[in-house]
Amino acid sequence: MDYHYPIAEALQEQLGDAITFEQIKSLLEKPKLAEHGDLAFPAFQLARILRKSPVQIAQELAGKVSSPYIEKAVAVGPYVNFSLDRTHVGREVLNEVIREGEAYGNHSLGNGRNVPIDMSSPNIAKPMSMGHLRSTVIGNALANIVQKMDYKPIKINHLGDWGTQFGKLIVAYKKWGTEEAVRANPIQELLRLYVEFHEQAETNHELEDEARHWFKRLEDGDEEATRLWEWFKNESLKEFQRVYDRLHIEFDSYHGEAFYNDKMDEVVDLLKEKELLTTDHGAQIVDLEKYDLNPALIKKSDGATLYMTRDLAAALYRKKTYDFALSLYVVGNEQSNHFKQLKAVLTEMGYDWAQDIQHIPFGLITQGGKKLSTRKGKVVLLEEVLNEAVSQAKEQIEEKNPHLKNKEDVAEQVGVGAVVFHDLKNDRLNNFDFTIKEVVQFEGETGPYVQYTRARALSILRKAGQTSFDPSDAYALTDEYSWEVIKLLQEFPSTVQRAFERFEPSVLAKHALNLSQAFNKFYTNVRVLEEHPEKQTRLALVYAVTQNLKEDLRILGVQAPEEM
Ligand code: ARG
């Protein structure tokens, strides 16, 4: 139940044709001061239409408007301030949260249509970077969000498993690497070779030529090149999988760039057919001047295809395979131009579905204010971050709850959850500087704070000996603290919708934090376990909070331990 509806309805009854229902609903706002009630309606816009002053309109409306949801309506200057009927609204909200369980906050917008989400997509033979972690957790949260809107998410790991860097790697391996060293420590050794290549290439320019040559051999299906490439790829995937397992993230497809090798001729032919290709210094390009973009490079002068060519092939493949309603690409902000070009080329090709493609950019993670660079070997190793977070979680648990069962498991859930939540709690476009200490802090606005709040709420229910509730019981709570909690529970469905409209998981992270704070205040001020006529209903509220926090965390991809 979104109480904007009944209030807007009551207003509409008074206003008739002067203004539409949707307009009324969108004008309703939260009053800045709590003592001004729960919702406010500004009368400015009506002044012109009704030819009366906003103050007069507000007064008239306040005197007439009525609904079982409204306890009182008061005019304050040009505003009508509404206080909702707490008994009525509270009862409905608690009923709904408990009755609907995990389905609470579901919408039916998507009609089951497909939404492929290009996410994570790390590059083979390199460590997974913090940027790829962002893409992974944001992508996963968006998958859960679109699912709540009744779309079917398809999580695609568009692995960076093709491109000139494999030529470099093969050269470096043949010159400075050994099989034993790679087997012993694949990613680190491959990274070392990659960095070595770039260092040497600064003075030895022939290396770049050799690398191009080896990549060409790979593209032509040369046996040795292919064997090395497959080996590097398998070793990388094993490492990536360890991270995905710890994050509890699964993919529906691992079709990376190499998958499109045999699908690129088709793209090039189509571009030719549509007379979109031009030659520039021997290279094939699509001119995008009319989009105010630089040309898209489709084929190099030596015939090698590019990142863009593969993305074009992938877009066509996804449309054909999934007939998507929307196609999302969760990729760092620095690739904005690439995705603008991608959309522009598809538009030029005459595909109106190009407009359903959306780049979901996110900000950079820096260290000491500086960008991390794989080429220079400056990387934060993700597994080390997770391990560190888990070990700090364990310390906290030892201190606070030494007798906890499954300490190891809980520490894993809390440590990893801290990292994920930290990544999702701010607007995705914000850059942030990465310091491990800050990530694994357990006080304040953190994942562990939300997890802990829920675990504590569960322990209250255990103490009360009641863990299930019948939604048909009549619930009504009217005190200030309960009301703040109820309002946040009530806002959950519209919060999900907002997270979807903005493709912004932080909206839900903030909801989880606000609900946790409101609940903790409630619990400090209301004696839940004491005998009282409202005891049963208070416990129902605690139960509803445990449900809603769990769902917030589930959507964000954070585990919710039962005890902490
Ligand atoms: N592998 C790329 C990188 O790490 C990201 C790929 C994103 N997805 C795509 N379809 N281009 O930069």
Side-chain angles (χ1 to χ4, degrees):
M1 170 92 261
D2 176 346
Y3 50 65
H4 287 70
Y5 279 89
I7 304 304
E9 258 166 33
L11 282 163
Q12 172 96 81
E13 245 168 64
Q14 302 304 320
L15 291 166
D17 298 337
I19 183 170
T20 69
F21 179 76
E22 283 306 315
Q23 279 172 318
I24 298 176
K25 203 158 70 74
S26 70
L27 282 173
L28 286 170
E29 57 182 57
K30 249 193 192 155
K32 311 231 162 17
L33 300 171
E35 62 260 36
H36 282 172
D38 303 307
L39 272 182
F41 179 71
F44 303 105
Q45 283 207 12
L46 284 168
R48 251 180 304 120
I49 306 166
L50 300 177
R51 296 171 185 282
K52 286 183 200 164
S53 80
V55 175
Q56 196 187 347
I57 297 170
Q59 262 162 11
E60 288 177 12
L61 279 175
K64 285 194 213 139
V65 72
S66 94
S67 147
Y69 290 87
I70 299 174
E71 196 201 64
K72 67 179 193 218
V74 183
V76 178
Y79 288 91
V80 191
N81 290 336
F82 295 98
S83 298
L84 297 174
D85 185 299
R86 293 181 180 185
T87 310
H88 196 91
V89 172
R91 186 184 293 149
E92 272 195 21
V93 171
L94 283 186
N95 261 291
E96 198 170 322
V97 178
I98 293 172
R99 188 178 60 240
E100 295 192 358
E102 276 162 25
Y104 182 59
N106 284 4
H107 296 254
S108 58
L109 184 74
N111 277 318
R113 293 194 64 195
N114 286 333
V115 177
I117 304 179
D118 186 305
M119 53 183 270
S120 194
S121 311
N123 299 318
I124 297 299
K126 290 187 198 168
M128 205 191 288
S129 71
M130 289 301 286
H132 293 116
L133 172 74
R134 296 214 73 189
S135 168
T136 310
V137 300
I138 295 171
N140 182 58
L142 289 178
N144 292 328
I145 290 167
V146 303
Q147 193 161 41
K148 280 205 83 79
M149 301 301 293
D150 195 30
Y151 288 100
K152 183 168 184 290
I154 293 148
K155 290 184 267 185
I156 302 176
N157 198 336
H158 188 80
L159 293 167
D161 55 2
W162 206 250
T164 42
Q165 72 269 29
F166 291 97
K168 295 178 186 172
L169 205 59
I170 292 173
V171 170
Y173 173 75
K174 289 176 76 80
K175 284 195 194 300
W176 313 297
T178 65
E179 184 170 339
E180 301 77 66
V182 176
R183 290 225 181 277
N185 213 341
I187 298 284
Q188 258 157 354
E189 178 63 7
L190 292 173
L191 175 66
R192 186 188 72 78
L193 292 170
Y194 189 73
V195 172
E196 174 98 32
F197 180 93
H198 284 278
E199 270 169 21
Q200 303 269 350
E202 276 181 24
T203 48
N204 180 356
H205 300 294
E206 272 160 34
L207 281 175
E208 296 279 359
D209 285 336
E210 277 184 57
R212 258 193 294 279
H213 170 71
W214 270 100
F215 180 57
K216 187 84 181 84
R217 282 177 73 165
L218 184 60
E219 285 213 302
D220 294 341
D222 172 88
E223 197 256 335
E224 185 185 6
T226 307
R227 185 170 48 77
L228 286 173
W229 170 78
E230 267 173 5
W231 176 37
F232 296 157
K233 178 165 167 169
N234 287 335
E235 294 295 347
S236 298
L237 279 175
K238 271 191 243 163
E239 299 237 351
F240 297 158
Q241 196 55 50
R242 281 213 301 276
V243 173
Y244 297 140
D245 286 346
R246 294 183 76 174
L247 295 170
H248 301 271
I249 289 178
E250 285 168 12
F251 295 90
D252 300 295
S253 159
Y254 275 92
H255 287 160
E257 294 187 44
F259 175 76
Y260 298 98
N261 276 340
D262 62 359
K263 297 173 182 58
M264 279 185 289
D265 284 346
E266 191 194 329
V267 174
V268 177
D269 289 346
L270 275 167
L271 287 168
K272 259 190 219 142
E273 215 174 90
K274 295 174 194 262
E275 297 183 352
L276 294 169
L277 281 186
T278 46
T279 309
D280 184 46
H281 293 87
Q284 305 282 313
I285 62 163
V286 177
D287 186 280
L288 296 174
E289 217 186 300
K290 74 174 189 220
Y291 296 85
D292 225 359
L293 293 166
N294 38 349
L297 201 49
I298 304 296
K299 236 179 184 184
K300 286 194 193 168
S301 51
D302 63 3
T305 56
L306 293 126
Y307 186 52
M308 175 61 80
T309 331
R310 292 186 277 281
D311 256 330
L312 284 166
L316 292 175
Y317 177 83
R318 286 175 198 173
K319 185 63 195 173
K320 205 162 64 198
T321 312
Y322 305 115
D323 188 27
F324 53 70
L326 281 171
S327 178
L328 308 182
Y329 293 76
V330 186
V331 186
N333 208 0
E334 67 279 6
Q335 293 194 29
S336 278
N337 197 58
H338 171 76
F339 287 102
K340 279 186 197 147
Q341 289 183 316
L342 177 67
K343 281 180 81 159
V345 175
L346 292 167
T347 307
E348 279 299 276
M349 292 173 88
Y351 300 125
D352 54 0
W353 49 263
Q355 68 198 31
D356 303 324
I357 288 183
Q358 295 228 30
H359 176 211
I360 314 293
F362 52 82
L364 207 64
I365 299 185
T366 53
Q367 212 173 28
K370 291 207 190 79
K371 200 179 156 184
L372 301 153
S373 154
T374 328
R375 286 198 182 191
K376 304 206 173 87
K378 275 199 68 183
V379 287
V380 176
L381 292 177
L382 218 74
E383 279 195 289
E384 280 173 19
V385 172
L386 295 179
N387 292 341
E388 179 59 29
V390 171
S391 92
Q392 295 201 21
K394 207 142 123 226
E395 274 173 36
Q396 298 266 336
I397 292 168
E398 290 296 351
E399 204 185 293
K400 290 201 170 120
N401 193 356
H403 303 298
L404 181 68
K405 289 169 283 172
N406 324 319
K407 263 189 273 192
E408 303 284 323
D409 291 346
V410 176
E412 175 77 15
Q413 296 185 347
V414 173
V416 174
V419 175
V420 173
F421 196 92
H422 179 82
D423 198 306
L424 294 176
K425 75 174 184 180
N426 293 312
D427 286 8
R428 61 179 154 73
L429 273 167
N430 288 0
N431 294 345
F432 63 88
D433 205 66
F434 183 82
T435 35
I436 182 125
K437 271 228 184 72
E438 205 189 302
V439 174
V440 292
Q441 245 169 43
F442 291 170
E443 320 283 295
E445 306 192 329
T446 65
Y449 171 69
V450 177
Q451 289 172 320
Y452 182 70
T453 302
R454 173 172 178 273
R456 190 158 82 149
L458 283 172
S459 84
I460 297 166
L461 296 177
R462 275 195 301 274
K463 266 189 213 138
Q466 191 171 356
T467 45
S468 71
F469 290 84
D470 179 355
S472 62
D473 283 355
Y475 302 122
L477 290 171
T478 52
D479 69 278
E480 215 51 59
Y481 303 104
S482 307
W483 182 237
E484 286 308 312
V485 174
I486 286 167
K487 276 198 287 188
L488 283 159
L489 292 171
Q490 184 282 148
E491 276 168 23
F492 180 67
S494 60
T495 306
V496 170
Q497 181 162 358
R498 202 149 29 93
F500 169 73
E501 282 162 359
R502 293 170 44 197
F503 298 118
E504 186 57 88
S506 69
V507 168
L508 285 161
K510 288 183 180 121
H511 180 265
L513 288 169
N514 292 338
L515 183 56
S516 299
Q517 270 161 13
F519 175 77
N520 287 321
K521 260 201 201 137
F522 160 83
Y523 188 59
T524 329
N525 290 287
V526 177
R527 300 184 179 279
V528 177
L529 290 170
E530 211 166 68
E531 284 316 317
H532 186 280
E534 283 182 353
K535 179 175 177 190
Q536 190 57 24
T537 311
R538 288 172 178 170
L539 286 169
L541 179 81
V542 176
Y543 177 71
V545 169
T546 64
Q547 294 270 91
N548 201 175
L549 285 181
K550 186 175 186 189
E551 186 61 1
D552 268 328
L553 291 174
R554 184 194 69 79
I555 296 173
L556 295 171
V558 175
Q559 305 285 306
E562 302 286 297
E563 284 180 67
M564 238 172 110

